[in-house]
Amino acid sequence: MGKGKNKTHEPKNGKPQRGANGHSSRQNHKRMEMKYDNSEMTKFPVKLAMWDFDHCDPKRCSGKKLERLGLIKSLRVGQKFQGVVVSPNGNGVVCPDDLEIVEQQGASVVECSWARLEEVPFNKIGGKHERLLPYLVAANQVNYGRPWRLNCVEALAACFAIVGRMDWASELLSHFSWGLGFLDLNRELLEIYQQCTDSNSVKKAEEEWLQKLEKENQERKSQSKDEDIWMMGNVNRRDNGAQSDESESEEDSDQSELESDKQSIEYDSLGNAIGIDNVKSRKMLSEGSEDEESESGEDEEPVSYDSLGNII
Ligand SMILES: C[S@@+](CC[C@H](N)C(=O)[O-])C[C@H]1O[C@@H](n2cnc3c(N)ncnc32)[C@H](O)[C@@H]1O
């Protein structure tokens, strides 16, 4: 762990743990509590706090930036927080019913790496109101476009926005060049969550949104499949169609070969039709050449197929 407040300190000679300032953790705890009443904290209308595990690059870390701006306070492991704790360890999701808690006690986050969550002693941090965030999409430069994985300032802003304090959400995000983009990106969804009441109703709204996304995704896929077909003609008749399985394509190719051979049926000297054999032998040849083509074709131009065997 790095040099943050919450790096692990080994007890020496069985004596109580002491922080970097030489005070015992109990004394530090008192100091931290007192610091909350410090005038520094008036920079933001409510308490903002974080447990900082120093996992992240300080230059890119939104929590550290809020701390440098004097907007958020670091908490020590062992300290609990009275307000809403926006945490990967939460049970319910943040909901409009949390407004009172947020307005009276503030909000906090866990500043750590998503990749190192298992190192966070969640049982020694948190509070009575630990919450997850419902589906929202990150707008920060590290995880842009990624759902659920918000950074600390986005998580705090999301909490404020959901409980209806868009003013606080904007104020906090305005310190980041990309910040207000988070509210733009999630505007419609945030408005939906704001209409909810308790945690269950937010979960329900989230579920409906995800179903809508899934439906749109399916529609987009089938639309692009249709467009492909119009652009490329019947893809099952392409030379490398050997890979497009299914009886449909085999039937098609049989049919087309028969049709094209109708006029070219030849007869031997005894009057036997020999065109059918020719069709068969040509088909076998063409199958052989398809194999060769598909082998060499792999190197030249990789082709992928969807579940219906269409080239995508
Ligand atoms: C894992 S840290 C990553 C912080 C990042 N390094 C930064 O620069 O801010 C993000 C924190 O925001 C809160 N958070 C973000 N997305 C969340 C979600 N979907 N549910 C609950 N908490 C979330 C949690 O406190 C989480 O620990």
Side-chain angles (χ1 to χ4, degrees):
M1 207 177 276
K3 57 182 173 54
K5 287 192 169 59
N6 291 315
K7 74 173 184 178
T8 32
H9 298 277
E10 296 300 326
K12 281 182 192 162
N13 311 323
K15 288 184 183 165
Q17 263 179 243
R18 288 180 187 275
N21 58 10
H23 295 298
S24 71
S25 62
R26 189 177 292 244
Q27 284 167 312
N28 273 333
H29 193 147
K30 274 196 177 160
R31 218 183 86 249
M32 291 299 296
E33 278 172 356
M34 283 171 65
K35 263 199 161 182
Y36 259 130
D37 299 327
N38 200 306
S39 56
E40 273 183 79
M41 296 313 293
T42 57
K43 277 194 176 180
F44 199 77
V46 280
K47 284 177 193 170
L48 299 179
M50 66 175 178
W51 289 268
D52 182 3
F53 290 91
D54 245 332
H55 291 172
C56 308
D57 174 357
K59 286 189 206 127
R60 305 173 95 194
C61 174
S62 72
K64 285 248 193 285
K65 178 163 177 180
L66 292 177
E67 192 176 33
R68 283 196 298 274
L69 291 168
L71 294 169
I72 198 167
K73 278 292 150 201
S74 272
L75 299 170
R76 288 181 184 278
V77 169
Q79 262 186 293
K80 298 279 177 173
F81 186 74
Q82 304 291 306
V84 166
V85 180
V86 187
S87 159
N89 195 45
N91 288 318
V93 289
V94 176
C95 61
D97 285 359
D98 288 327
L99 175 64
E100 205 179 317
I101 307 169
V102 170
E103 286 191 327
Q104 288 178 6
Q105 306 289 347
S108 64
V109 284
V110 185
E111 174 53 67
C112 61
S113 160
W114 287 109
R116 294 169 64 182
L117 286 181
E118 76 284 354
E119 294 174 30
V120 177
F122 282 109
N123 57 340
K124 294 186 185 148
I125 63 173
K128 269 194 283 182
H129 310 291
E130 289 183 34
R131 306 276 191 267
L132 286 165
L133 285 169
Y135 179 93
L136 288 167
V137 178
N140 69 72
Q141 289 132 329
V142 179
N143 275 326
Y144 185 91
R146 230 171 148 172
W148 283 292
R149 293 205 165 185
L150 311 185
N151 68 13
C152 288
V153 68
E154 287 172 321
L156 290 167
C159 171
F160 294 143
I162 293 169
V163 300
R165 293 306 307 241
M166 285 297 277
D167 51 342
W168 294 351
S170 309
E171 189 175 337
L172 210 52
L173 288 164
S174 69
H175 295 284
F176 297 78
S177 57
W178 49 267
L180 294 171
F182 174 73
L183 296 180
D184 288 338
L185 193 61
N186 293 288
R187 188 161 306 280
E188 196 183 342
L189 194 46
L190 286 170
E191 280 168 11
I192 293 173
Y193 293 148
Q194 284 161 4
Q195 303 304 312
C196 298
T197 50
D198 59 2
S199 182
N200 286 339
S201 64
V202 174
K203 282 299 289 173
K204 190 162 169 277
E206 176 190 44
E207 194 52 45
E208 284 167 8
W209 183 266
L210 289 174
Q211 280 168 7
K212 182 172 155 252
L213 285 188
E214 175 61 20
K215 195 166 161 246
E216 284 169 6
N217 194 25
Q218 292 299 335
E219 281 167 7
R220 247 198 316 276
K221 269 191 195 161
S222 66
Q223 200 181 342
S224 71
K225 204 162 37 195
D226 288 350
E227 278 164 12
D228 282 351
I229 285 169
W230 283 111
M231 297 286 286
M232 305 172 80
N234 186 344
V235 292
N236 290 326
R237 294 189 186 198
R238 276 172 59 123
D239 284 345
N240 53 3
Q243 288 175 43
S244 65
D245 66 331
E246 307 313 330
S247 52
E248 198 194 332
S249 65
E250 277 168 25
E251 267 167 36
D252 277 353
S253 67
D254 281 351
Q255 188 62 28
S256 66
E257 297 223 28
L258 279 172
E259 273 168 12
S260 67
D261 278 300
K262 265 180 194 159
Q263 291 106 21
S264 61
I265 292 177
E266 290 170 23
Y267 298 90
D268 67 12
S269 55
L270 298 171
N272 297 317
I274 55 172
I276 301 296
D277 285 343
N278 283 350
V279 168
K280 270 193 194 153
S281 58
R282 258 207 309 281
K283 188 164 189 298
M284 281 165 69
L285 272 174
S286 77
E287 273 171 3
S289 66
E290 271 172 7
D291 280 349
E292 277 164 30
E293 267 175 32
S294 66
E295 260 175 41
S296 61
E298 253 176 39
D299 290 331
E300 287 159 15
E301 188 189 325
V303 180
S304 34
Y305 298 86
D306 67 13
S307 57
L308 296 174
N310 296 316
I311 294 170
I312 49 176

